Amino acid sequence: MPTVAYFADKVCLSPNYFGDLISKESGTTAQRHIQDAVIERSKQLLVETRLPVSEIAYQLGFEYPQHFSRLFKSRTGMTPNDYRLTAKYPNKI
């Protein structure tokens, strides 16, 4: 998953300064902001594609799909597969 240092490097700022800017603008930590964006993108991929969860995890930069699933569940309250089913068939779960 992309890190604060990765994005800071892309905009030629130190990780600490970049983190401070993001925190000031968003009210959350830079890491939390990155995770929010990753979760939102994963929701899109889960609904709009038929890619397996493991492939979505790899595309989003996770080395291990289990780490993606754990983060997703901790942030949404459901597994990626459950989210996919609920989003496509809201009355089934």
Coordinates of all heavy atoms in Angstrom, one line a residue:
M1 N 0.8 -1.2 0.0 CA 0.0 0.0 0.0 C 0.9 1.2 0.0 O 1.9 1.3 0.7 CB -0.9 0.0 1.2 CG -1.9 1.1 1.2 SD -3.2 1.0 2.3 CE -2.4 1.0 3.9
P2 N 0.5 2.3 -0.7 CA 1.3 3.5 -0.8 C 1.5 4.1 0.6 O 0.6 4.0 1.5 CB 0.5 4.4 -1.6 CG -0.4 3.6 -2.4 CD -0.7 2.4 -1.6
T3 N 2.6 4.6 0.9 CA 2.9 5.2 2.2 C 2.9 6.7 2.1 O 3.0 7.3 1.1 CB 4.3 4.7 2.7 OG1 5.3 5.2 1.8 CG2 4.4 3.2 2.8
V4 N 3.0 7.3 3.3 CA 3.1 8.8 3.4 C 4.4 9.2 2.7 O 4.4 10.2 1.9 CB 3.1 9.2 4.9 CG1 3.4 10.7 5.0 CG2 1.8 8.8 5.5
A5 N 5.5 8.5 2.9 CA 6.8 8.8 2.3 C 6.7 8.7 0.8 O 7.3 9.6 0.1 CB 7.9 7.9 2.8
Y6 N 6.0 7.8 0.3 CA 5.8 7.7 -1.2 C 5.2 8.9 -1.8 O 5.6 9.5 -2.7 CB 5.0 6.4 -1.5 CG 4.6 6.3 -3.0 CD1 5.4 5.8 -3.9 CD2 3.3 6.7 -3.4 CE1 5.1 5.7 -5.2 CE2 2.9 6.7 -4.7 CZ 3.8 6.2 -5.6 OH 3.4 6.1 -6.9
F7 N 4.0 9.3 -1.2 CA 3.3 10.5 -1.7 C 4.1 11.8 -1.4 O 4.1 12.7 -2.3 CB 1.9 10.6 -1.1 CG 1.0 9.6 -1.7 CD1 0.5 8.6 -0.9 CD2 0.6 9.7 -3.0 CE1 -0.3 7.6 -1.5 CE2 -0.3 8.8 -3.6 CZ -0.8 7.8 -2.8
A8 N 4.8 11.9 -0.3 CA 5.6 13.1 0.0 C 6.7 13.2 -1.0 O 7.0 14.3 -1.5 CB 6.2 12.9 1.4
D9 N 7.3 12.1 -1.4 CA 8.4 12.1 -2.4 C 7.8 12.6 -3.8 O 8.5 13.3 -4.5 CB 9.0 10.7 -2.6 CG 10.1 10.7 -3.5 OD1 11.1 11.4 -3.3 OD2 10.1 9.9 -4.5
K10 N 6.6 12.2 -4.1 CA 6.0 12.6 -5.4 C 5.8 14.1 -5.5 O 5.8 14.6 -6.6 CB 4.7 11.9 -5.6 CG 4.9 10.4 -5.8 CD 5.6 10.1 -7.1 CE 5.8 8.6 -7.2 NZ 6.8 8.3 -8.3
V11 N 5.6 14.8 -4.4 CA 5.4 16.2 -4.4 C 6.6 17.0 -3.8 O 6.5 18.2 -3.5 CB 4.1 16.6 -3.7 CG1 2.9 16.1 -4.4 CG2 4.1 16.1 -2.2
C12 N 7.7 16.3 -3.7 CA 9.0 16.9 -3.2 C 8.9 17.5 -1.9 O 9.4 18.7 -1.7 CB 9.5 17.8 -4.3 SG 9.8 17.1 -5.9
L13 N 8.3 16.8 -0.9 CA 8.2 17.3 0.5 C 8.7 16.2 1.4 O 8.7 15.1 1.0 CB 6.7 17.6 0.8 CG 6.0 18.7 0.1 CD1 4.6 18.8 0.4 CD2 6.7 20.1 0.3
S14 N 9.1 16.7 2.6 CA 9.5 15.7 3.6 C 8.2 14.9 4.0 O 7.2 15.5 4.1 CB 10.2 16.3 4.7 OG 9.3 17.0 5.6
P15 N 8.4 13.7 4.4 CA 7.2 12.9 4.9 C 6.5 13.6 6.1 O 5.3 13.7 6.2 CB 7.8 11.6 5.4 CG 9.0 11.4 4.5 CD 9.5 12.8 4.3
N16 N 7.3 14.2 7.0 CA 6.7 14.9 8.2 C 5.9 16.1 7.8 O 4.8 16.3 8.3 CB 7.8 15.3 9.2 CG 8.3 14.1 9.9 OD1 7.7 13.0 10.0 ND2 9.5 14.2 10.5
Y17 N 6.5 16.9 6.9 CA 5.8 18.1 6.5 C 4.5 17.8 5.7 O 3.5 18.3 5.9 CB 6.7 19.0 5.6 CG 6.1 20.3 5.2 CD1 5.8 21.3 6.2 CD2 5.9 20.6 3.9 CE1 5.2 22.5 5.8 CE2 5.3 21.8 3.5 CZ 5.0 22.7 4.5 OH 4.4 23.9 4.1
F18 N 4.7 16.8 4.8 CA 3.5 16.3 4.0 C 2.4 15.8 5.0 O 1.2 16.2 4.8 CB 3.9 15.2 3.1 CG 2.8 14.6 2.2 CD1 2.3 15.3 1.1 CD2 2.2 13.4 2.6 CE1 1.3 14.8 0.4 CE2 1.2 12.9 1.8 CZ 0.7 13.6 0.7
G19 N 2.8 15.0 5.9 CA 1.8 14.5 6.9 C 1.1 15.7 7.7 O -0.1 15.6 7.9
D20 N 1.9 16.7 8.0 CA 1.3 17.8 8.8 C 0.3 18.6 7.9 O -0.7 19.0 8.3 CB 2.4 18.8 9.2 CG 3.3 18.2 10.3 OD1 2.8 17.2 11.0 OD2 4.3 18.8 10.6
L21 N 0.7 18.7 6.6 CA -0.3 19.4 5.7 C -1.6 18.6 5.5 O -2.6 19.2 5.5 CB 0.4 19.6 4.3 CG 1.5 20.6 4.2 CD1 2.1 20.6 2.8 CD2 1.0 22.0 4.5
I22 N -1.4 17.4 5.3 CA -2.6 16.5 5.1 C -3.5 16.6 6.4 O -4.7 16.7 6.3 CB -2.3 15.1 4.8 CG1 -1.6 15.0 3.4 CG2 -3.5 14.1 4.8 CD1 -2.4 15.4 2.2
S23 N -2.9 16.5 7.5 CA -3.6 16.5 8.8 C -4.3 17.8 9.0 O -5.5 17.8 9.4 CB -2.6 16.3 10.0 OG -2.1 15.0 10.0
K24 N -3.7 18.9 8.7 CA -4.3 20.2 8.8 C -5.5 20.4 7.9 O -6.5 20.9 8.3 CB -3.2 21.3 8.5 CG -3.7 22.7 8.8 CD -2.5 23.7 8.6 CE -3.0 25.1 8.8 NZ -2.0 26.0 8.6
E25 N -5.4 19.9 6.7 CA -6.4 20.0 5.7 C -7.6 19.0 5.9 O -8.7 19.4 5.7 CB -5.9 19.9 4.3 CG -5.0 21.0 3.8 CD -5.8 22.4 3.8 OE1 -6.9 22.4 3.3 OE2 -5.2 23.4 4.3
S26 N -7.3 17.8 6.3 CA -8.3 16.8 6.3 C -8.8 16.5 7.7 O -9.9 15.9 7.9 CB -7.8 15.5 5.7 OG -6.8 14.9 6.5
G27 N -8.0 16.9 8.7 CA -8.4 16.6 10.1 C -8.1 15.1 10.5 O -8.4 14.7 11.6
T28 N -7.4 14.4 9.6 CA -7.0 13.0 10.0 C -5.5 12.9 9.6 O -4.9 13.8 9.0 CB -7.8 11.9 9.2 OG1 -7.5 12.1 7.8 CG2 -9.2 12.0 9.4
T29 N -4.9 11.8 10.1 CA -3.5 11.6 9.8 C -3.4 11.3 8.3 O -4.3 10.9 7.6 CB -2.9 10.4 10.5 OG1 -3.6 9.2 10.1 CG2 -3.1 10.6 12.0
A30 N -2.2 11.5 7.7 CA -1.9 11.2 6.3 C -2.1 9.8 6.1 O -2.7 9.4 5.0 CB -0.5 11.7 6.0
Q31 N -1.7 8.9 7.0 CA -1.9 7.4 6.8 C -3.4 7.1 6.7 O -3.8 6.3 5.9 CB -1.2 6.7 7.9 CG -1.2 5.2 7.6 CD -0.4 4.8 6.4 OE1 0.6 5.4 6.0 NE2 -0.9 3.8 5.7
R32 N -4.1 7.7 7.6 CA -5.6 7.4 7.6 C -6.2 7.9 6.3 O -7.1 7.3 5.7 CB -6.2 8.1 8.8 CG -7.7 8.0 8.9 CD -8.1 6.7 9.4 NE -9.5 6.6 9.5 CZ -10.2 5.8 10.4 NH1 -9.5 5.1 11.2 NH2 -11.5 5.8 10.4
H33 N -5.8 9.1 5.8 CA -6.3 9.7 4.5 C -5.9 8.7 3.4 O -6.8 8.5 2.5 CB -5.6 11.0 4.3 CG -6.2 11.8 3.2 ND1 -7.5 12.4 3.3 CD2 -5.8 12.1 2.0 CE1 -7.7 13.0 2.2 NE2 -6.7 12.8 1.4
I34 N -4.8 8.2 3.3 CA -4.4 7.2 2.3 C -5.2 6.0 2.4 O -5.7 5.5 1.4 CB -2.9 6.9 2.4 CG1 -2.0 8.1 2.1 CG2 -2.5 5.7 1.5 CD1 -0.6 8.0 2.4
Q35 N -5.4 5.5 3.6 CA -6.2 4.3 3.8 C -7.7 4.5 3.3 O -8.3 3.7 2.7 CB -6.2 3.8 5.2 CG -4.9 3.2 5.6 CD -4.8 2.8 7.1 OE1 -5.8 3.1 7.9 NE2 -3.8 2.2 7.5
D36 N -8.2 5.7 3.6 CA -9.6 6.0 3.2 C -9.7 6.0 1.7 O -10.6 5.5 1.1 CB -10.0 7.4 3.7 CG -10.2 7.5 5.1 OD1 -10.4 6.4 5.8 OD2 -10.3 8.6 5.7
A37 N -8.7 6.5 1.0 CA -8.7 6.5 -0.5 C -8.6 5.1 -1.0 O -9.3 4.7 -2.0 CB -7.5 7.4 -1.0
V38 N -7.7 4.3 -0.4 CA -7.6 2.9 -0.8 C -8.9 2.1 -0.6 O -9.3 1.4 -1.5 CB -6.4 2.2 -0.1 CG1 -6.4 0.7 -0.2 CG2 -5.1 2.8 -0.5
I39 N -9.6 2.3 0.5 CA -10.8 1.7 0.7 C -11.9 2.1 -0.3 O -12.6 1.3 -0.8 CB -11.3 1.9 2.2 CG1 -10.4 1.3 3.2 CG2 -12.8 1.5 2.4 CD1 -10.3 -0.2 3.1
E40 N -12.0 3.4 -0.6 CA -12.9 3.9 -1.6 C -12.7 3.3 -2.9 O -13.6 2.9 -3.6 CB -12.9 5.4 -1.6 CG -13.6 6.0 -0.4 CD -15.0 5.5 -0.1 OE1 -15.8 5.5 -1.0 OE2 -15.2 5.1 1.0
R41 N -11.4 3.2 -3.3 CA -11.0 2.6 -4.6 C -11.4 1.1 -4.6 O -11.9 0.6 -5.6 CB -9.6 2.8 -4.9 CG -9.1 2.2 -6.2 CD -9.8 2.9 -7.4 NE -9.3 2.3 -8.7 CZ -10.1 1.9 -9.7 NH1 -11.4 2.2 -9.6 NH2 -9.6 1.4 -10.7
S42 N -11.1 0.4 -3.5 CA -11.4 -1.0 -3.5 C -12.9 -1.2 -3.6 O -13.4 -2.2 -4.2 CB -10.9 -1.6 -2.2 OG -11.5 -1.1 -1.0
K43 N -13.7 -0.4 -3.0 CA -15.2 -0.5 -3.1 C -15.6 -0.4 -4.6 O -16.5 -1.2 -5.0 CB -15.9 0.6 -2.3 CG -15.8 0.4 -0.8 CD -16.5 1.5 -0.1 CE -16.5 1.3 1.4 NZ -17.2 2.4 2.1
Q44 N -15.0 0.6 -5.3 CA -15.3 0.7 -6.7 C -15.0 -0.6 -7.5 O -15.8 -1.1 -8.2 CB -14.5 1.8 -7.3 CG -15.0 3.2 -7.0 CD -14.1 4.2 -7.7 OE1 -12.9 4.1 -7.7 NE2 -14.8 5.2 -8.3
L45 N -13.8 -1.1 -7.2 CA -13.3 -2.3 -7.9 C -14.2 -3.5 -7.6 O -14.5 -4.4 -8.4 CB -11.9 -2.6 -7.6 CG -10.9 -1.6 -8.2 CD1 -9.5 -1.8 -7.6 CD2 -10.9 -1.7 -9.7
L46 N -14.6 -3.6 -6.3 CA -15.4 -4.7 -5.9 C -16.8 -4.8 -6.6 O -17.3 -5.8 -6.9 CB -15.6 -4.7 -4.4 CG -14.4 -5.1 -3.5 CD1 -14.6 -4.7 -2.1 CD2 -14.1 -6.6 -3.7
V47 N -17.3 -3.6 -6.8 CA -18.7 -3.5 -7.4 C -18.6 -3.5 -8.9 O -19.4 -4.1 -9.6 CB -19.4 -2.2 -6.9 CG1 -20.7 -2.0 -7.7 CG2 -19.6 -2.3 -5.4
E48 N -17.6 -2.8 -9.5 CA -17.5 -2.6 -10.9 C -16.8 -3.7 -11.7 O -16.8 -3.7 -12.9 CB -16.9 -1.3 -11.3 CG -17.7 -0.1 -10.7 CD -17.1 1.2 -10.8 OE1 -15.9 1.3 -11.4 OE2 -17.6 2.2 -10.4
T49 N -16.1 -4.6 -11.0 CA -15.3 -5.6 -11.7 C -15.7 -7.0 -11.1 O -16.3 -7.1 -10.1 CB -13.8 -5.4 -11.6 OG1 -13.4 -5.7 -10.3 CG2 -13.4 -4.0 -12.0
R50 N -15.2 -8.0 -11.8 CA -15.3 -9.4 -11.3 C -14.0 -9.9 -10.8 O -13.8 -11.1 -10.6 CB -15.9 -10.3 -12.4 CG -17.3 -9.9 -12.8 CD -17.7 -10.8 -13.9 NE -19.0 -11.4 -13.5 CZ -19.7 -12.2 -14.1 NH1 -19.2 -12.7 -15.3 NH2 -20.8 -12.7 -13.7
L51 N -13.0 -9.0 -10.6 CA -11.7 -9.4 -10.2 C -11.8 -10.1 -8.8 O -12.6 -9.7 -7.9 CB -10.8 -8.2 -10.0 CG -10.4 -7.5 -11.3 CD1 -9.6 -6.2 -11.0 CD2 -9.5 -8.4 -12.1
P52 N -11.0 -11.1 -8.6 CA -11.0 -11.7 -7.3 C -10.4 -10.7 -6.2 O -9.7 -9.8 -6.6 CB -10.0 -12.9 -7.4 CG -9.8 -13.1 -8.9 CD -10.1 -11.8 -9.5
V53 N -10.8 -10.9 -5.0 CA -10.4 -10.0 -3.9 C -8.8 -10.0 -3.9 O -8.2 -8.9 -3.7 CB -11.0 -10.4 -2.6 CG1 -10.4 -9.6 -1.4 CG2 -12.5 -10.2 -2.6
S54 N -8.2 -11.1 -4.1 CA -6.7 -11.1 -4.0 C -6.1 -10.2 -5.1 O -5.1 -9.5 -4.9 CB -6.2 -12.6 -4.1 OG -6.6 -13.1 -5.3
E55 N -6.7 -10.3 -6.3 CA -6.2 -9.4 -7.4 C -6.4 -7.9 -7.1 O -5.5 -7.1 -7.4 CB -6.8 -9.8 -8.7 CG -6.3 -9.0 -9.9 CD -4.8 -9.2 -10.1 OE1 -4.3 -10.3 -9.9 OE2 -4.2 -8.2 -10.6
I56 N -7.5 -7.6 -6.5 CA -7.8 -6.2 -6.1 C -6.7 -5.8 -5.1 O -6.2 -4.7 -5.2 CB -9.2 -6.0 -5.6 CG1 -10.2 -6.2 -6.7 CG2 -9.4 -4.7 -4.9 CD1 -11.7 -6.3 -6.3
A57 N -6.5 -6.7 -4.1 CA -5.5 -6.4 -3.1 C -4.1 -6.1 -3.7 O -3.4 -5.1 -3.4 CB -5.4 -7.5 -2.1
Y58 N -3.7 -6.9 -4.7 CA -2.4 -6.7 -5.3 C -2.4 -5.4 -6.1 O -1.4 -4.7 -6.1 CB -2.1 -7.9 -6.2 CG -1.8 -9.2 -5.5 CD1 -2.4 -10.4 -5.9 CD2 -1.0 -9.2 -4.4 CE1 -2.2 -11.6 -5.2 CE2 -0.7 -10.4 -3.7 CZ -1.4 -11.6 -4.1 OH -1.1 -12.8 -3.4
Q59 N -3.5 -5.1 -6.8 CA -3.5 -3.9 -7.6 C -3.4 -2.6 -6.7 O -2.9 -1.6 -7.2 CB -4.8 -3.8 -8.4 CG -4.8 -4.7 -9.6 CD -6.0 -4.4 -10.5 OE1 -6.7 -3.5 -10.4 NE2 -6.2 -5.3 -11.5
L60 N -3.9 -2.8 -5.5 CA -3.9 -1.6 -4.6 C -2.6 -1.5 -3.8 O -2.4 -0.6 -3.0 CB -5.1 -1.7 -3.6 CG -6.5 -1.5 -4.3 CD1 -7.5 -1.8 -3.2 CD2 -6.6 -0.2 -4.9
G61 N -1.7 -2.4 -4.1 CA -0.4 -2.3 -3.5 C -0.1 -3.2 -2.3 O 0.9 -3.0 -1.6
F62 N -1.1 -4.1 -1.9 CA -0.9 -4.9 -0.8 C 0.0 -6.1 -1.2 O -0.3 -6.7 -2.2 CB -2.2 -5.4 -0.2 CG -3.0 -4.4 0.5 CD1 -3.8 -3.5 -0.2 CD2 -2.9 -4.2 1.8 CE1 -4.5 -2.5 0.4 CE2 -3.6 -3.2 2.5 CZ -4.4 -2.4 1.8
E63 N 0.9 -6.5 -0.4 CA 1.7 -7.7 -0.6 C 1.0 -8.9 -0.3 O 1.2 -10.0 -1.0 CB 3.0 -7.6 0.2 CG 4.0 -8.7 -0.1 CD 5.3 -8.5 0.6 OE1 5.5 -7.5 1.3 OE2 6.2 -9.4 0.5
Y64 N 0.1 -8.9 0.7 CA -0.7 -10.0 1.1 C -2.1 -9.7 1.1 O -2.5 -8.7 1.8 CB -0.3 -10.5 2.5 CG 1.2 -10.9 2.6 CD1 2.1 -10.0 3.2 CD2 1.7 -12.0 2.0 CE1 3.4 -10.3 3.3 CE2 3.0 -12.4 2.1 CZ 3.9 -11.5 2.7 OH 5.2 -11.8 2.8
P65 N -3.0 -10.4 0.4 CA -4.4 -10.2 0.4 C -5.1 -10.1 1.8 O -6.0 -9.4 2.0 CB -5.0 -11.3 -0.5 CG -3.9 -11.7 -1.3 CD -2.6 -11.6 -0.5
Q66 N -4.5 -10.9 2.7 CA -5.1 -11.0 4.0 C -5.0 -9.6 4.7 O -5.9 -9.2 5.5 CB -4.4 -12.0 4.9 CG -4.4 -13.4 4.4 CD -3.2 -13.7 3.4 OE1 -2.7 -12.9 2.7 NE2 -2.8 -15.0 3.4
H67 N -3.9 -8.9 4.4 CA -3.8 -7.5 5.0 C -4.8 -6.6 4.5 O -5.4 -5.8 5.2 CB -2.4 -7.0 4.8 CG -1.3 -7.7 5.4 ND1 0.0 -7.5 5.1 CD2 -1.3 -8.7 6.4 CE1 0.8 -8.3 5.9 NE2 0.0 -9.0 6.7
F68 N -5.1 -6.7 3.2 CA -6.2 -5.9 2.6 C -7.5 -6.3 3.2 O -8.3 -5.4 3.6 CB -6.2 -6.1 1.1 CG -7.5 -5.6 0.5 CD1 -7.8 -4.3 0.4 CD2 -8.4 -6.5 0.0 CE1 -9.0 -3.8 -0.1 CE2 -9.6 -6.1 -0.6 CZ -9.9 -4.7 -0.6
S69 N -7.8 -7.5 3.3 CA -9.1 -8.0 3.9 C -9.3 -7.5 5.3 O -10.3 -7.1 5.7 CB -9.2 -9.5 3.8 OG -9.3 -9.9 2.4
R70 N -8.2 -7.6 6.1 CA -8.2 -7.2 7.5 C -8.5 -5.7 7.6 O -9.3 -5.2 8.4 CB -6.9 -7.5 8.2 CG -7.0 -7.3 9.7 CD -5.7 -7.8 10.4 NE -5.3 -9.1 10.0 CZ -4.1 -9.4 9.5 NH1 -3.2 -8.5 9.4 NH2 -3.8 -10.6 9.2
L71 N -7.8 -4.9 6.8 CA -8.0 -3.4 6.8 C -9.4 -3.1 6.3 O -10.1 -2.3 6.9 CB -7.0 -2.7 5.9 CG -7.2 -1.2 5.7 CD1 -7.0 -0.5 7.0 CD2 -6.3 -0.7 4.6
F72 N -9.9 -3.7 5.3 CA -11.2 -3.5 4.7 C -12.3 -3.8 5.8 O -13.2 -3.0 6.0 CB -11.5 -4.3 3.5 CG -12.7 -3.9 2.7 CD1 -12.6 -3.0 1.7 CD2 -13.9 -4.5 3.1 CE1 -13.8 -2.6 1.0 CE2 -15.1 -4.1 2.4 CZ -15.0 -3.2 1.3
K73 N -12.2 -4.9 6.4 CA -13.2 -5.3 7.5 C -13.1 -4.3 8.7 O -14.2 -3.9 9.2 CB -13.0 -6.7 7.9 CG -14.1 -7.1 8.9 CD -14.1 -8.6 9.2 CE -15.3 -8.9 10.0 NZ -15.4 -10.4 10.3
S74 N -11.9 -3.9 9.0 CA -11.8 -3.0 10.2 C -12.4 -1.6 9.9 O -12.9 -1.0 10.8 CB -10.4 -2.9 10.7 OG -9.6 -2.1 9.8
R75 N -12.4 -1.2 8.6 CA -12.9 0.1 8.2 C -14.4 0.1 7.8 O -15.1 1.1 8.0 CB -12.1 0.6 7.1 CG -10.6 0.8 7.4 CD -10.4 1.8 8.6 NE -10.6 3.2 8.2 CZ -9.8 3.9 7.5 NH1 -8.6 3.4 7.1 NH2 -10.1 5.1 7.2
T76 N -14.9 -1.1 7.3 CA -16.2 -1.1 6.8 C -17.2 -2.0 7.6 O -18.4 -1.9 7.5 CB -16.3 -1.6 5.4 OG1 -15.9 -3.0 5.3 CG2 -15.4 -0.8 4.4
G77 N -16.6 -2.9 8.5 CA -17.4 -3.8 9.2 C -17.8 -5.0 8.5 O -18.6 -5.8 9.0
M78 N -17.3 -5.2 7.3 CA -17.6 -6.4 6.5 C -16.5 -6.8 5.7 O -15.6 -6.0 5.4 CB -18.9 -6.3 5.7 CG -18.9 -5.2 4.6 SD -20.4 -5.0 3.7 CE -21.5 -4.3 4.9
T79 N -16.4 -8.1 5.3 CA -15.4 -8.5 4.4 C -15.6 -8.0 3.0 O -16.7 -7.6 2.6 CB -15.4 -10.1 4.3 OG1 -16.5 -10.5 3.7 CG2 -15.2 -10.7 5.7
P80 N -14.5 -8.0 2.2 CA -14.7 -7.5 0.8 C -15.7 -8.3 0.0 O -16.5 -7.7 -0.7 CB -13.3 -7.7 0.2 CG -12.3 -7.6 1.4 CD -13.1 -8.2 2.5
N81 N -15.7 -9.6 0.2 CA -16.8 -10.4 -0.5 C -18.2 -10.1 0.0 O -19.1 -10.0 -0.8 CB -16.5 -11.9 -0.3 CG -15.4 -12.4 -1.2 OD1 -15.3 -11.9 -2.3 ND2 -14.6 -13.3 -0.7
D82 N -18.4 -9.9 1.3 CA -19.7 -9.5 1.8 C -20.1 -8.1 1.2 O -21.2 -7.9 0.9 CB -19.7 -9.4 3.3 CG -19.7 -10.8 3.9 OD1 -20.0 -11.8 3.2 OD2 -19.4 -10.9 5.2
Y83 N -19.1 -7.2 1.2 CA -19.4 -5.9 0.6 C -19.8 -6.0 -0.8 O -20.8 -5.4 -1.2 CB -18.2 -4.9 0.7 CG -18.5 -3.6 0.1 CD1 -19.1 -2.6 0.9 CD2 -18.1 -3.3 -1.2 CE1 -19.4 -1.4 0.3 CE2 -18.4 -2.1 -1.8 CZ -19.1 -1.1 -1.0 OH -19.4 0.1 -1.6
R84 N -19.1 -6.8 -1.6 CA -19.5 -7.0 -3.0 C -20.9 -7.5 -3.1 O -21.7 -7.0 -3.9 CB -18.5 -8.0 -3.6 CG -18.8 -8.3 -5.1 CD -17.8 -9.2 -5.7 NE -16.7 -8.4 -6.3 CZ -15.5 -8.8 -6.6 NH1 -15.2 -10.1 -6.4 NH2 -14.7 -8.0 -7.2
L85 N -21.3 -8.5 -2.4 CA -22.6 -9.1 -2.4 C -23.7 -8.1 -2.0 O -24.7 -7.9 -2.6 CB -22.7 -10.3 -1.5 CG -22.0 -11.5 -2.1 CD1 -22.0 -12.7 -1.0 CD2 -22.6 -12.0 -3.4
T86 N -23.4 -7.3 -0.9 CA -24.3 -6.3 -0.4 C -24.5 -5.2 -1.4 O -25.7 -4.7 -1.6 CB -23.8 -5.8 1.0 OG1 -23.7 -6.9 1.9 CG2 -24.8 -4.8 1.5
A87 N -23.5 -4.8 -2.0 CA -23.6 -3.6 -3.0 C -24.3 -4.1 -4.2 O -25.1 -3.3 -4.8 CB -22.2 -3.1 -3.3
K88 N -24.1 -5.3 -4.7 CA -24.8 -5.8 -5.9 C -26.2 -6.2 -5.6 O -27.1 -6.1 -6.4 CB -24.0 -6.9 -6.5 CG -22.7 -6.4 -7.2 CD -22.1 -7.4 -7.9 CE -20.8 -6.9 -8.6 NZ -20.2 -7.8 -9.5
Y89 N -26.4 -6.8 -4.4 CA -27.7 -7.4 -4.1 C -28.1 -7.0 -2.7 O -28.0 -7.7 -1.7 CB -27.7 -8.9 -4.2 CG -27.1 -9.5 -5.5 CD1 -25.8 -9.9 -5.5 CD2 -27.9 -9.4 -6.6 CE1 -25.3 -10.4 -6.7 CE2 -27.4 -9.9 -7.8 CZ -26.1 -10.4 -7.9 OH -25.5 -10.8 -9.0
P90 N -28.5 -5.7 -2.5 CA -28.7 -5.2 -1.2 C -29.7 -5.9 -0.3 O -29.5 -5.9 1.0 CB -29.3 -3.8 -1.4 CG -29.1 -3.5 -2.9 CD -28.9 -4.8 -3.5
N91 N -30.6 -6.7 -0.8 CA -31.6 -7.4 0.1 C -31.2 -8.8 0.3 O -31.9 -9.5 1.0 CB -33.0 -7.3 -0.6 CG -33.5 -5.9 -0.7 OD1 -33.3 -5.1 0.1 ND2 -34.2 -5.6 -1.8
K92 N -30.1 -9.3 -0.1 CA -29.7 -10.7 0.0 C -29.0 -10.9 1.3 O -29.0 -12.0 1.8 CB -28.8 -11.1 -1.1 CG -29.4 -11.1 -2.5 CD -30.4 -12.3 -2.5 CE -31.1 -12.3 -3.9 NZ -32.1 -13.3 -4.0
I93 N -28.3 -9.9 1.9 CA -27.5 -10.2 3.1 C -28.2 -9.4 4.3 O -28.5 -8.3 4.2 CB -26.0 -9.8 3.0 CG1 -25.4 -10.8 2.0 CG2 -25.3 -9.8 4.3 CD1 -23.9 -10.5 1.8

